[in-house]
């Protein structure tokens, strides 16, 4: 099991995140000022770019089937070659739940955001065979609009993908691009849908998948 901390070090006039393994920085993310539609990611000496697909997002909002894809980002490598995509999806419009789909090098992975109140936000990561390969946990407390996460994954490839997802998710749902000084915010999220909550396995970190 690989354990990392994702720490946001800048939250206004642009955003910066650092992926840390013990005391070593192994990945960074930079989001330019007032440009939340582009996320620049570096990890393991590789550079990537997540680019928001405005047209695809607009078209998806008129799609009322299970194939709807909201907040779609396209993933490009350092040579500006398309290598994948990341988006929000729903099981169904009514009485369903939201989940996230990441495609990378012809493989598909799924992320499920589950709020457990004071126990925090849990985001298990599954592969296409419905096997859990990672777990992302968001801290409930943020200071000056800066988020922090703990990421546990089974190998380096899953580590990289969980890193992609975490900055995408935080950029979309948390960490507003606002100036804050000496502020403290406590955020509790609660998930009611039983099917969604069943995706969380509290014993995953102990090696019982």
């Amino acid at each position: 099991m690989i354990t990392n901390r994702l720490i946001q070090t800048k939250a206004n006039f642009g955003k910066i995140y650092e992926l840390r393994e013990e005391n070593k920085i192994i990945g960074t993310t930079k989001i330019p000022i007032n440009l939340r539609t582009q996320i620049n990611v570096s990890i393991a000496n590789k550079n990537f770019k997540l680019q928001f697909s405005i047209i695809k997002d607009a078209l998806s909002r008129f799609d009322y089937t299970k194939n709807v894809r909201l907040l779609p980002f396209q993933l490009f490598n350092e040579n500006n070659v398309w290598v994948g995509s990341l988006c929000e999806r729903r099981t169904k419009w009514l009485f369903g739940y939201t989940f996230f789909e990441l495609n990378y090098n012809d493989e598909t992975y799924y992320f499920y955001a589950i709020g457990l109140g004071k126990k925090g936000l849990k985001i298990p990561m599954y592969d296409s065979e419905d096997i859990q390969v990672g777990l992302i946990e968001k801290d409930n407390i943020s200071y000056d609009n800066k988020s922090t996460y703990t990421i546990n994954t089974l190998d380096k490839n899953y580590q990289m993908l969980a890193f992609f997802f975490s900055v995408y998710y935080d950029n979309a749902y948390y960490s507003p691009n606002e100036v804050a000084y000496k502020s403290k915010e406590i955020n509790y999220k609660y998930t009611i849908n039983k099917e969604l909550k069943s995706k969380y396995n509290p014993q995953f970190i102990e090696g019982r998948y």
Side-chain angles (χ1 to χ4, degrees):
M1 186 76 67
I2 302 171
T3 300
N4 301 108
R5 287 285 284 171
L6 177 63
I7 300 174
Q8 185 176 2
T9 59
K10 186 178 181 181
N12 51 67
F13 301 109
K15 300 177 185 178
I16 296 177
Y17 298 81
E18 294 177 350
L19 185 67
R20 300 179 183 178
E21 192 166 321
E22 296 179 348
N23 294 321
K24 182 180 179 181
I25 298 174
I26 62 171
T28 59
T29 304
K30 294 183 179 180
I31 303 174
I33 182 173
N34 295 328
L35 190 59
R36 299 181 69 185
T37 58
Q38 180 175 310
I39 302 173
N40 302 311
V41 183
S42 298
I43 184 171
N45 297 318
K46 297 179 181 179
N47 297 311
F48 298 89
K49 177 179 68 176
L50 280 161
Q51 185 71 50
F52 181 55
S53 300
I54 298 176
I55 296 177
K56 289 186 177 182
D57 184 64
L59 293 174
S60 290
R61 294 182 186 277
F62 291 96
D63 184 354
Y64 297 100
T65 71
K66 290 174 64 175
N67 293 319
V68 62
R69 290 175 169 83
L70 300 176
L71 293 174
F73 276 68
Q74 303 303 310
L75 179 62
F76 300 89
N77 65 16
E78 55 194 351
N79 297 315
N80 208 35
V81 175
W82 183 88
V83 292
S85 62
L86 180 53
C87 68
E88 174 186 313
R89 301 191 64 181
R90 281 193 66 80
T91 54
K92 50 188 175 182
W93 278 105
L94 295 176
F95 309 112
Y97 61 84
T98 296
F99 66 101
F100 302 86
E101 180 180 283
L102 169 61
N103 295 291
Y104 179 73
N105 285 346
D106 296 324
E107 296 289 339
T108 303
Y109 304 89
Y110 302 97
F111 298 82
Y112 304 89
I114 303 165
L116 297 180
K118 291 184 178 181
K119 293 182 179 180
L121 178 68
K122 314 294 183 181
I123 310 176
M125 172 186 178
Y126 285 80
D127 66 13
S128 59
E129 297 181 354
D130 203 33
I131 297 174
Q132 187 172 355
V133 295
L135 177 64
I136 302 164
E137 300 175 286
K138 185 182 186 302
D139 292 0
N140 282 331
I141 301 175
S142 63
Y143 297 93
D144 297 337
N145 291 332
K146 298 173 184 176
S147 301
T148 51
Y149 296 78
T150 299
I151 300 175
N152 290 280
T153 50
L154 298 184
D155 65 30
K156 293 290 185 180
N157 183 60
Y158 302 137
Q159 174 197 60
M160 180 179 70
L161 300 179
F163 183 33
F164 290 161
F165 173 80
S166 297
V167 294
Y168 159 89
Y169 182 81
D170 194 74
N171 189 51
Y173 293 93
Y174 294 94
S175 183
N177 201 2
E178 301 173 353
V179 176
Y181 179 68
K182 292 186 177 180
S183 70
K184 176 181 177 181
E185 182 179 358
I186 302 176
N187 190 302
Y188 296 139
K189 182 176 180 179
Y190 295 88
T191 294
I192 299 175
N193 187 287
K194 292 182 179 180
E195 183 179 355
L196 177 56
K197 290 179 71 174
S198 70
K199 298 292 184 180
Y200 172 59
N201 174 15
Q203 297 178 327
F204 174 79
I205 297 176
E206 301 172 8
R208 288 182 278 180
Y209 328 130

